[in-house]
Amino acid sequence: MKTHPGMSSDEIIEVYGKPKNIRTTTCGTQANNPWSCTIWEYGKFPYDRATFYFSGEYGSYILNNFNIDRD
């Protein structure tokens, strides 16, 4: 599998193409300092879906976590 934490958003685009949906939310806090994550979603529910969770600022997203579901 080519996908792993620490990949850049550019690398994800090279492998999977552009995401279907993008959203930003608060993913956690550290010492009462909330941090945001950007979530990219691919595919159609309920089959062949992938979700990627990034940290960082626009233009320098780094993959933290991901979930890939296939039929």
Side-chain angles (χ1 to χ4, degrees):
M1 182 172 198
K2 296 180 181 181
T3 307
H4 58 84
M7 292 178 73
S8 71
S9 54
D10 289 340
E11 291 173 305
I12 295 296
I13 289 174
E14 285 179 25
V15 175
Y16 295 95
K18 292 186 178 183
K20 179 179 179 182
N21 297 310
I22 299 173
R23 60 190 167 102
T24 300
T25 188
T26 301
C27 287
T29 62
Q30 187 174 27
N32 294 326
N33 185 19
W35 60 276
S36 296
C37 66
T38 301
I39 303 166
W40 289 6
E41 298 173 324
Y42 290 80
K44 294 182 180 179
F45 181 81
Y47 305 108
D48 293 329
R49 292 182 30 166
T51 306
F52 300 94
Y53 298 84
F54 297 93
S55 64
E57 300 296 322
Y58 178 77
S60 62
Y61 294 135
I62 301 297
L63 184 63
N64 279 339
N65 194 354
F66 63 94
N67 185 28
I68 300 172
D69 293 322
R70 295 192 172 157
D71 184 334

